[in-house]
Amino acid sequence: MSADEDSVPASPDSLFDEPLISPASLTAPPIPGLFFSPSLLLPIELADRVFTFCSERYFKRPGVNQVMLFGEEMIPAPLLDLLSALSPFLRPALPHGVHELLFPAAPTMARQAIVNLYNPGEGISSHVDLLGRYADGIVGVSLGSACVMHFTRTSSTMGEEQTADVFLPERSVIVLSGEARYKWAHGIERRFEDVVNGENASVVSVPRGLRISVTFRWLLPGADVVGEHEP
Ligand SMILES: O=C(O)CCC(=O)C(=O)O
Ligand SMILES: [Fe+2]
């Protein structure tokens, strides 16, 4: 707090005028190329199967919280099943061109699947997925727990920073393409609970549980050098 702020007399109400955390939206923010619907949830059985598979296959060892799989031949059957299910699942929710970007009849690039594990209190720093490594068209699935994803426009023209927070329930799917992929950074705050807009103008706090995300991206040609815990 600055000296100036210190000298402003506080009234009890003023504590609530500017909440430290502004509540996240339940619906997609108006970011071109971002597609998300809170009511579009994967079937429970599929989500449970993928969550259990990832927990047991990748996250038994303490300290491991990220796995990257390069190329469909390296992506195991449960994750390929998820990918196959995502195509018809997302078709009604996406413009034709964006659906084609994610699920082309004849792919020209290799797929990458990245699986991230988050304990309550953990997150991922704000980032734009590597421009030199991944192409356009990213699809992310939330499993096991919800979280709020924070978006920041990277090249705001003079003036205020543009941000948006969206609540991603478990079993939801988010698609980043075009401007949402290239001009906005995304991240997850390191928190134990998220603050979300509820019904009838209420604000609710949603505790985080163990979350696993599965993200599918396209590898740019030649971008097959593997790094450690990259975005
Ligand atoms: O966990 C998520 O939903 C986001 C992961 C992510 O942004 C990344 O791995 O690049
Ligand atoms: Fe990312």
Side-chain angles (χ1 to χ4, degrees), residues 114 116 118 124 127 129 149 186 188 211 213 215 217 231:
I114 179 166
N116 287 313
Y118 303 84
I124 186 166
H127 64 277
D129 286 17
M149 188 167 274
H186 56 275
I188 298 169
R211 175 173 181 269
S213 67
T215 306
R217 317 186 266 204

Side-chain angles (χ1 to χ4, degrees), residues 3-224:
D4 275 357
E5 284 164 331
D6 236 2
S7 63
V8 175
S11 71
D13 277 348
S14 72
L15 290 175
F16 301 100
D17 285 348
E18 287 180 61
L20 288 175
I21 302 172
S22 55
S25 165
L26 296 177
T27 53
I31 298 177
L34 186 157
F35 299 94
F36 165 78
S37 166
S39 56
L40 196 65
L41 300 177
L42 289 167
I44 293 174
E45 195 270 332
L46 172 65
D48 282 354
R49 192 154 27 99
V50 176
F51 181 89
T52 305
F53 171 81
C54 292
S55 311
E56 289 177 359
R57 170 70 69 95
Y58 302 125
F59 303 126
K60 277 278 186 233
R61 275 190 296 144
V64 177
N65 62 3
Q66 185 177 69
V67 169
M68 285 189 268
L69 304 154
F70 294 91
E72 293 215 1
E73 54 291 343
M74 298 305 289
I75 301 178
L79 296 185
L80 289 179
D81 290 349
L82 172 64
L83 187 59
S84 306
L86 284 169
S87 175
F89 177 81
L90 286 171
R91 195 185 301 278
L94 297 177
H96 180 72
V98 176
H99 190 273
E100 274 289 295
L101 187 66
L102 296 174
F103 306 103
T108 56
M109 287 173 282
R111 286 265 189 211
Q112 188 219 39
I114 179 166
V115 188
N116 287 313
L117 173 78
Y118 303 84
N119 287 291
E122 295 176 346
I124 186 166
S125 302
S126 190
H127 64 277
V128 174
D129 286 17
L130 291 176
L131 298 175
R133 184 165 300 173
Y134 304 109
D136 196 8
I138 296 169
V139 53
V141 175
S142 292
L143 301 170
S145 172
C147 76
V148 166
M149 188 167 274
H150 180 67
F151 289 88
T152 318
R153 199 173 200 290
T154 52
S155 48
S156 288
T157 42
M158 292 203 304
E160 280 183 24
E161 194 183 44
Q162 285 178 276
T163 65
D165 291 282
V166 59
F167 181 69
L168 306 179
E170 63 170 308
R171 299 193 284 120
S172 66
V173 181
I174 189 164
V175 171
L176 303 181
S177 65
E179 201 168 304
R181 185 263 181 271
Y182 289 109
K183 298 266 188 273
W184 290 72
H186 56 275
I188 298 169
E189 295 285 345
R190 293 169 177 82
R191 286 195 191 132
F192 287 91
E193 54 192 31
D194 289 300
V195 179
V196 179
N197 279 316
E199 282 174 11
N200 303 320
S202 64
V203 173
V204 292
S205 172
V206 184
R208 295 237 187 116
L210 189 73
R211 175 173 181 269
I212 290 177
S213 67
V214 182
T215 306
F216 295 103
R217 317 186 266 204
W218 293 115
L219 272 172
L220 287 168
D224 48 4

